[in-house]
Amino acid sequence: MLRDRILAEKPEEEELKSRLKAARDRLAARQMKIKEHRLPVLVLLEGWGTSGKGSTIGQVIRNIDPRFFKVASMEIIREEDRRKPFLWRYFSQIPEAGKFVFMDSGWMDEVTRARLMGTMDDETYDRRIAGIRRFERQLTDNGYLVMKFFLHISAKEQKKRICELKDDIDTRWRINEADRWQNKNYKKCLDIFDRYLDATDSPAVPWYVVDARSRKWAELQVLETLTEGIDIAMQNRALAVPVLQNVFPLVKMPKLCEVSLNGKTMEEEAYKTELKRLQKHLGELHNRLYRKKIPVIIAYEGWDAAGKGGNIRRITEALDPRGFEVHPIAGPEPHEKARHYLWRFYTRLPRTGHIAVFDRTWYGRVMVERLEGFCMENDWKRAYNEINEFEKELSDWGAVIIKFWVHIDKDTQLERFTMRQNTPEKQWKITDEDWRNREKWDVYEEAVDEMIQKTSTSYAPWHILESVDKRYARIQALKIVIDELEKVL
Amino acid sequence: MLRDRILAEKPEEEELKSRLKAARDRLAARQMKIKEHRLPVLVLLEGWGTSGKGSTIGQVIRNIDPRFFKVASMEIIREEDRRKPFLWRYFSQIPEAGKFVFMDSGWMDEVTRARLMGTMDDETYDRRIAGIRRFERQLTDNGYLVMKFFLHISAKEQKKRICELKDDIDTRWRINEADRWQNKNYKKCLDIFDRYLDATDSPAVPWYVVDARSRKWAELQVLETLTEGIDIAMQNRALAVPVLQNVFPLVKMPKLCEVSLNGKTMEEEAYKTELKRLQKHLGELHNRLYRKKIPVIIAYEGWDAAGKGGNIRRITEALDPRGFEVHPIAGPEPHEKARHYLWRFYTRLPRTGHIAVFDRTWYGRVMVERLEGFCMENDWKRAYNEINEFEKELSDWGAVIIKFWVHIDKDTQLERFTMRQNTPEKQWKITDEDWRNREKWDVYEEAVDEMIQKTSTSYAPWHILESVDKRYARIQALKIVIDELEKVL
């Protein structure tokens, strides 16, 4: 029961005052440590209507330099939000390293509200809860401190507050229908809230139920708990995080060396006819996708000079330009590096009915970042599961996920590199880095094999495109895309 | 839904055979690694009646040297079990470092059975789930690999199996009423199982739902998942585990230096009268405790020569010897060291209605083990929370927990040490180690302060006994024990 979760009894006024002062000073002192240790802190305030979420945030932030925090008010869900995965609007708002984000209501409010309104069935609810648990755990695993507070008041207190607000002409606007409804259906709300808190209470991201009868007391509880949380997060900062066992259904995939590249060719004439036919078909499917609001994500990875660019073009040529976007992915910008490595992909997700093509992807984590030491061993080892979770979220959203590994052998690459070098208008396509990567072919191959084995889930399997003959690969890609889309149309 | 949790589709017979052979060999190879790395592995097999839990275990263990595993069949709950905390019978059975324990049914079976029989209310269920989550997490945090399998068959398959067993006179004994009942109430069971799996699915200890239609296929799934789990646990072996934020209500306690020892004395005459009166009263309470089946745990910690022994004696003198036991705690034996550090305390818990007095306790973890380096920094830092969780389990069970810190100052200790040294019949009570510990008084004091601050929960607070005058301390102890017992009688 919510009531029983409250951590502490309200102290005497005198003690409250002195502890409040101490707690404010402590938080003020912590902000420099947070900056110095690059700790990102996400503070979520949920609670009853009129429990004082906004004013508590207002009090707490008075102790922090405005450069170090952001307040995100999440109550209003825009049309744009509805066309993205459930967690998108929250993931987009996560703080960068060394900063606070305070959220006034969040994913709990969204889920429990839908439950109360009866617009979310049991199955969706269970899926949301599972997704939320993964989301909160992933943030923590990636060095975030996530603090969740629930501001609790009794039905009687809530009623009193609504009346007081109503009686004052200056504050009347602050009570809304939802607050009144909550108060009338307090028991029902209590039950839904309780169940949600139970389902999402985890060791690393526990719920803190705050006794919000008094403003100052609520502020003190948040301040003290937050500061303690920061101290513990600092202690845990340097620790590696355990790799989790796989819990997603995997599809058996061959190793790259087992994929035969022989005879995977196509005559020019047949290619042209087939290309035309398939592109026309894909164009039609795109319209139907759009009408059915199904989001599609096509991810391209592959060897340098394997023909990713040309392959992508053959797909996009078939599509209505208003309904797709291509995201070429290079190294992360500083503001991207300061956040969870999936953040820059989360923020590039398509809207429902749209297609996003990624030219290189989040799999950089387990290839280039792994091999060039841009992340720690512990980070890329964890990433297989994190990526499977990310794609599960997309799949739960209803997205079609198609992942291509564009495959050639080492000799073919050398041929193409040499050709590029010797063709003035193609020289921009070849850099010293490409040659350096080529020297690491074997370790890359090992990493690619591990990646394909560990992330070919039933809901987002890899497809290997044999691309020694680029025409063959393009036709294959079109066929696979069409196949996957037809499954859902 | 259970059905949807199944990890993989059954492969062709040919592939199944070759994978089975490979998986058996791999597990056989792992057992030496497990021994070498001292990894303890707890494998829990739950599932429908007639799903083949026993025979699957039988198959799996054929690949392991009998010195390295134990099979624990937990289905039958004995009277003794009912007089201990819920998790006691499972905690008692945890493997030692480097060995396997296979459990045929376990805590899931116990909880869901009670749910199905309607003998467990919602509140108890929620408490059990919370306890189970903590239990599984604590094992993992302390280096255990816990693998949970649920063997799933359809209602139709179960019915078929029951009929087949019934038709054969040799196997008829193997079907029990519970299996028949389950089959008749399959939907209801499915719902309860599903909810339980959801509630206890955690990232580090996920559920694996095994498609148990075919024996061999079930065996293969268990073997492959188990081996993968072992490999991942080996990888994670060296990692430190994050310290968790406190989620238990704490009582504000003074630091030792703030506790005045002045004037806490008692005249001999008054002491004698009071002692007699209190002991008589305690004796009466003990009888009532016994009848009401309330378990009591009294934990003593304190400075060397503070007077713990004499204090304990004044308590036990008042008690019926059939209803209490005193556990003097020294360093752990090798078989104790090979298990979770709380194991030796779990196995020493009293039965309901009994009193257990611990002369030194599990708090050794955050005092002597911390200061003498017997455990890692990460271990004792985590222990505050682990101990709060342990005591929460005891408190949920209904136990009264009374914790004493027997307190003196440094001068008093010196006086008593010198006295002991100079009194031939008391010389056994003083060792070189006592003198060495005395030199570390300041660091010990710091550790004791931290311990008292962090583990004085509302359900198991510390009591500081001022013991410069031992008589005063004894009377205080008796009063506190009586007070705490009266609260529940």
Side-chain angles (χ1 to χ4, degrees):
Chain A
M1 284 291 297
L2 247 169
R3 189 69 199 75
D4 307 327
R5 290 173 176 269
I6 287 175
L7 261 191
E9 288 304 307
K10 189 181 168 199
E12 298 298 315
E13 201 58 32
E14 204 55 31
E15 185 189 333
L16 200 155
K17 266 192 194 157
S18 78
R19 274 166 68 184
L20 206 46
K21 186 170 176 334
R24 284 173 183 156
D25 291 349
R26 237 178 303 139
L27 181 61
R30 289 304 176 279
Q31 61 180 323
M32 290 316 296
K33 287 234 156 203
I34 283 172
K35 192 174 148 59
E36 183 191 327
H37 290 88
R38 297 181 57 75
L39 179 74
V41 184
L42 176 54
V43 184
L44 175 64
L45 267 94
E46 302 272 13
W48 294 95
T50 76
S51 64
K53 296 187 288 284
S55 69
T56 303
I57 292 180
Q59 286 300 321
V60 170
I61 56 176
R62 285 166 64 177
N63 308 294
I64 310 175
D65 186 298
R67 285 167 300 172
F68 298 151
F69 71 83
K70 228 187 91 183
V71 176
S73 188
M74 306 300 292
E75 216 166 336
I76 295 155
I77 301 172
R78 298 160 306 160
E79 180 53 24
E80 176 74 1
D81 299 328
R82 290 187 211 283
R83 300 194 59 179
K84 302 279 182 165
F86 167 66
L87 286 171
W88 176 82
R89 56 197 296 263
Y90 306 109
F91 209 117
S92 317
Q93 296 282 352
I94 59 172
E96 54 182 308
K99 299 198 175 169
F100 289 91
V101 163
F102 290 87
M103 261 187 212
D104 186 351
S105 309
W107 48 99
M108 169 179 181
D109 185 52
E110 186 174 342
V111 168
T112 53
R113 213 191 303 177
R115 270 311 252 186
L116 282 164
M117 296 300 136
T119 55
M120 186 186 285
D121 60 25
D122 287 0
E123 214 188 306
T124 313
Y125 179 74
D126 290 346
R127 218 165 42 225
R128 289 276 185 277
I129 295 288
I132 286 167
R133 280 158 66 166
R134 289 191 292 256
F135 169 55
E136 296 177 356
R137 199 213 71 246
Q138 257 206 43
L139 286 180
T140 315
D141 284 356
N142 282 277
Y144 281 71
L145 171 62
V146 183
M147 301 285 294
K148 302 185 294 192
F149 295 96
F150 184 92
L151 269 55
H152 182 56
I153 49 173
S154 65
K156 211 173 126 193
E157 174 71 22
Q158 190 182 37
K159 191 162 195 180
K160 202 183 99 200
R161 292 190 183 184
I162 291 173
C163 291
E164 281 169 7
L165 289 169
K166 201 173 57 188
D167 288 348
D168 185 337
I169 196 156
D170 289 335
T171 57
R172 199 170 293 164
W173 63 275
R174 278 174 52 194
I175 11 165
N176 56 37
E177 263 322 296
D179 296 342
R180 281 214 193 81
W181 189 91
Q182 252 192 7
N183 196 246
K184 272 193 200 111
N185 299 273
Y186 190 90
K187 273 258 160 64
K188 191 177 164 188
C189 295
L190 189 64
D191 183 49
I192 299 265
F193 291 166
D194 252 336
R195 281 190 52 204
Y196 179 91
L197 294 184
D198 269 343
T200 57
D201 198 44
S202 76
V205 195
W207 273 104
Y208 289 101
V209 175
V210 170
D211 173 6
R213 265 173 309 174
S214 125
R215 294 263 143 111
K216 285 217 168 107
W217 174 220
E219 184 197 343
L220 179 60
Q221 291 166 84
V222 171
L223 279 173
E224 287 188 341
T225 314
L226 178 56
T227 318
E228 199 198 332
I230 292 170
D231 289 344
I232 289 178
M234 297 282 190
Q235 273 185 49
N236 291 334
R237 197 111 186 87
L239 304 184
V241 177
V243 175
L244 299 178
Q245 294 169 50
N246 171 55
V247 293
F248 299 106
L250 294 179
V251 175
K252 280 256 163 215
M253 291 291 289
K255 289 187 155 196
L256 286 184
C257 66
E258 296 160 4
V259 174
S260 162
L261 292 166
N262 290 337
K264 305 288 172 70
T265 57
M266 207 166 185
E267 294 301 320
E268 180 70 18
E269 205 54 35
Y271 166 69
K272 277 190 177 158
T273 324
E274 193 67 350
L275 182 68
K276 209 166 167 186
R277 187 180 68 81
L278 292 170
Q279 286 188 333
K280 183 156 178 285
H281 190 27
L282 179 57
E284 289 157 11
L285 292 177
H286 192 204
N287 288 328
R288 284 163 61 196
L289 273 181
Y290 193 82
R291 281 203 309 277
K292 289 189 83 173
K293 297 216 163 143
I294 296 171
V296 179
I297 292 150
I298 306 179
Y300 275 87
E301 292 284 356
W303 297 109
D304 287 334
K308 283 195 305 296
N311 203 303
I312 290 172
R313 217 159 42 243
R314 296 320 180 280
I315 303 280
T316 55
E317 277 170 4
L319 306 175
D320 182 326
R322 289 163 300 180
F324 80 87
E325 57 235 306
V326 176
H327 299 289
I329 301 298
E333 304 287 327
H335 75 287
E336 294 171 332
K337 230 186 232 164
R339 290 185 174 86
H340 189 302
Y341 68 97
L342 291 174
W343 183 78
R344 63 188 182 129
F345 303 104
Y346 239 108
T347 51
R348 282 174 170 89
L349 290 175
R351 285 191 288 166
T352 51
H354 282 237
I355 297 179
V357 181
F358 288 87
D359 184 356
R360 302 207 183 274
T361 67
W362 42 98
Y363 285 95
R365 187 72 162 184
V366 293
M367 293 197 293
V368 57
E369 291 189 39
R370 163 183 178 172
L371 293 171
E372 305 297 335
F374 296 155
C375 66
M376 314 256 276
E377 182 177 341
N378 186 244
D379 292 326
W380 63 259
K381 281 196 167 168
R382 268 187 356 251
Y384 301 108
N385 180 54
E386 290 170 346
I387 287 172
N388 286 345
E389 292 182 330
F390 169 55
E391 292 173 357
K392 180 74 168 71
E393 193 63 30
L394 302 180
S395 158
D396 281 351
W397 172 44
V400 178
I401 306 155
I402 303 167
K403 303 186 298 199
F404 289 124
W405 176 258
V406 191
H407 189 43
I408 52 173
D409 58 81
K410 228 173 150 177
D411 292 344
T412 307
Q413 190 187 51
L414 181 62
E415 237 170 67
R416 292 186 187 167
F417 275 14
T418 316
M419 219 256 280
R420 285 180 177 183
Q421 203 101 62
N422 300 337
T423 316
E425 65 273 27
K426 288 202 172 171
Q427 269 166 17
W428 63 273
K429 278 182 133 184
I430 179 98
T431 65
D432 289 352
E433 208 191 319
D434 293 332
W435 288 104
R436 275 198 302 275
N437 285 343
R438 183 177 159 73
E439 276 169 34
K440 297 186 187 164
W441 181 287
D442 292 345
V443 285
Y444 264 98
E445 182 163 331
E446 204 179 305
V448 173
D449 277 335
E450 186 170 0
M451 166 184 96
I452 290 178
Q453 299 298 326
K454 291 190 169 167
T455 59
S456 268
T457 53
S458 61
Y459 52 85
W462 280 97
H463 301 272
I464 297 173
L465 293 177
E466 298 90 342
S467 190
V468 171
D469 178 352
K470 290 179 183 176
R471 290 180 298 234
Y472 178 88
R474 290 167 188 167
I475 296 300
Q476 287 306 310
L478 276 162
K479 280 184 178 166
I480 289 166
V481 171
I482 287 169
D483 243 37
E484 294 295 320
L485 296 188
E486 279 185 332
K487 281 185 199 162
V488 298
L489 284 169
Chain B
M1 284 291 296
L2 247 170
R3 190 70 200 76
D4 306 328
R5 290 172 176 269
I6 287 177
L7 261 190
E9 287 303 307
K10 190 181 167 198
E12 298 298 314
E13 201 59 30
E14 204 54 32
E15 186 189 333
L16 200 155
K17 266 191 195 158
S18 77
R19 274 167 65 185
L20 206 45
K21 184 169 177 335
R24 284 175 182 154
D25 292 348
R26 237 178 301 137
L27 181 60
R30 288 305 175 280
Q31 60 180 323
M32 290 315 297
K33 286 232 158 207
I34 283 172
K35 192 175 148 57
E36 184 191 326
H37 289 88
R38 298 182 56 74
L39 180 73
V41 184
L42 177 55
V43 184
L44 175 64
L45 266 93
E46 302 271 11
W48 294 96
T50 77
S51 64
K53 296 188 288 284
S55 68
T56 304
I57 292 180
Q59 286 299 319
V60 170
I61 57 176
R62 285 165 63 175
N63 309 293
I64 310 176
D65 185 298
R67 287 167 299 173
F68 298 152
F69 72 81
K70 229 189 90 183
V71 176
S73 189
M74 307 299 292
E75 216 165 336
I76 294 156
I77 301 172
R78 297 160 307 161
E79 180 52 25
E80 176 72 3
D81 299 328
R82 289 188 213 282
R83 300 195 59 180
K84 302 278 182 166
F86 168 66
L87 287 171
W88 177 81
R89 55 197 299 260
Y90 306 108
F91 209 118
S92 317
Q93 296 282 352
I94 58 173
E96 53 182 309
K99 300 199 175 170
F100 289 92
V101 163
F102 291 87
M103 262 187 210
D104 185 351
S105 308
W107 49 99
M108 170 180 181
D109 185 52
E110 187 175 340
V111 168
T112 52
R113 213 191 303 175
R115 270 312 251 187
L116 282 163
M117 297 300 135
T119 55
M120 186 186 286
D121 60 27
D122 287 0
E123 215 189 306
T124 313
Y125 179 75
D126 290 346
R127 219 167 39 225
R128 288 277 186 275
I129 295 288
I132 286 167
R133 280 158 67 168
R134 289 191 293 255
F135 169 56
E136 296 177 356
R137 199 212 71 244
Q138 258 207 42
L139 285 180
T140 315
D141 284 356
N142 282 277
Y144 281 71
L145 170 61
V146 182
M147 301 285 295
K148 301 184 296 192
F149 295 97
F150 183 92
L151 268 57
H152 181 58
I153 49 173
S154 65
K156 211 173 128 193
E157 174 71 22
Q158 191 182 37
K159 192 165 194 177
K160 203 183 99 201
R161 291 190 184 186
I162 291 174
C163 290
E164 280 169 8
L165 288 169
K166 200 173 55 188
D167 289 347
D168 185 337
I169 194 156
D170 289 335
T171 57
R172 200 170 293 164
W173 63 274
R174 279 175 50 195
I175 11 165
N176 56 37
E177 263 323 297
D179 295 343
R180 282 215 192 81
W181 189 91
Q182 250 193 9
N183 195 248
K184 274 194 198 107
N185 299 274
Y186 190 91
K187 275 257 160 66
K188 192 176 162 189
C189 295
L190 189 65
D191 183 49
I192 299 267
F193 292 165
D194 253 335
R195 281 191 51 205
Y196 179 91
L197 294 184
D198 269 342
T200 57
D201 199 44
S202 76
V205 195
W207 274 104
Y208 290 101
V209 176
V210 170
D211 173 5
R213 265 172 309 173
S214 126
R215 294 264 143 112
K216 284 213 170 113
W217 174 220
E219 185 196 342
L220 179 60
Q221 292 167 82
V222 171
L223 279 173
E224 287 188 342
T225 313
L226 178 55
T227 317
E228 199 198 330
I230 291 170
D231 289 344
I232 289 177
M234 297 282 191
Q235 273 185 48
N236 291 334
R237 197 111 186 87
L239 304 184
V241 177
V243 175
L244 299 178
Q245 294 169 51
N246 172 55
V247 292
F248 299 105
L250 293 179
V251 176
K252 278 258 166 219
M253 291 291 289
K255 288 188 157 195
L256 287 184
C257 67
E258 295 160 6
V259 174
S260 162
L261 291 167
N262 290 337
K264 306 287 171 72
T265 56
M266 206 164 186
E267 293 302 322
E268 180 70 17
E269 204 53 33
Y271 166 67
K272 277 189 178 159
T273 322
E274 194 68 348
L275 182 68
K276 209 166 166 187
R277 187 180 69 81
L278 292 171
Q279 285 188 334
K280 183 157 177 287
H281 190 25
L282 179 56
E284 288 157 11
L285 292 177
H286 191 205
N287 287 329
R288 284 163 61 195
L289 274 181
Y290 193 82
R291 280 202 308 279
K292 289 189 85 174
K293 297 214 163 148
I294 297 171
V296 178
I297 292 151
I298 307 179
Y300 275 87
E301 292 284 357
W303 297 110
D304 288 332
K308 282 198 304 297
N311 203 302
I312 290 173
R313 218 160 41 242
R314 296 319 179 282
I315 303 280
T316 54
E317 278 170 3
L319 306 175
D320 182 326
R322 289 164 299 180
F324 80 87
E325 56 234 306
V326 176
H327 299 289
I329 301 298
E333 303 288 326
H335 75 287
E336 294 171 333
K337 229 187 232 164
R339 290 185 173 85
H340 190 301
Y341 68 98
L342 291 174
W343 183 77
R344 62 185 181 131
F345 303 104
Y346 239 106
T347 50
R348 283 174 171 87
L349 290 175
R351 285 191 288 165
T352 52
H354 283 236
I355 298 179
V357 181
F358 288 87
D359 183 356
R360 302 205 183 276
T361 67
W362 42 97
Y363 285 96
R365 188 71 162 186
V366 293
M367 293 197 293
V368 58
E369 292 190 38
R370 164 182 176 174
L371 294 171
E372 305 297 334
F374 297 155
C375 67
M376 314 256 277
E377 183 178 341
N378 186 244
D379 294 326
W380 63 260
K381 282 194 166 168
R382 267 185 1 247
Y384 301 107
N385 179 54
E386 290 170 344
I387 287 172
N388 286 344
E389 292 182 329
F390 168 55
E391 292 173 358
K392 180 75 167 72
E393 193 62 30
L394 301 181
S395 156
D396 281 351
W397 171 43
V400 178
I401 306 155
I402 303 166
K403 302 186 299 198
F404 290 123
W405 176 260
V406 191
H407 188 43
I408 51 173
D409 57 81
K410 228 173 150 178
D411 292 343
T412 306
Q413 190 187 51
L414 182 61
E415 238 170 69
R416 291 187 187 169
F417 275 14
T418 316
M419 219 257 281
R420 285 177 178 188
Q421 203 102 58
N422 300 336
T423 315
E425 66 274 25
K426 288 199 173 172
Q427 269 168 18
W428 64 272
K429 278 180 133 184
I430 180 100
T431 65
D432 288 354
E433 208 190 318
D434 292 333
W435 288 104
R436 275 199 303 275
N437 285 343
R438 183 177 160 74
E439 276 169 34
K440 297 186 186 163
W441 181 288
D442 292 347
V443 286
Y444 265 97
E445 181 163 333
E446 204 180 304
V448 173
D449 277 334
E450 186 170 1
M451 166 184 94
I452 290 178
Q453 300 297 325
K454 290 189 171 169
T455 60
S456 270
T457 53
S458 61
Y459 52 85
W462 280 98
H463 302 273
I464 297 173
L465 294 178
E466 299 90 342
S467 189
V468 170
D469 178 351
K470 290 178 185 177
R471 289 178 300 231
Y472 179 88
R474 290 166 189 169
I475 296 299
Q476 287 306 310
L478 276 162
K479 280 185 179 166
I480 289 165
V481 170
I482 287 170
D483 243 36
E484 294 296 318
L485 297 187
E486 278 185 333
K487 280 187 199 160
V488 298
L489 283 170

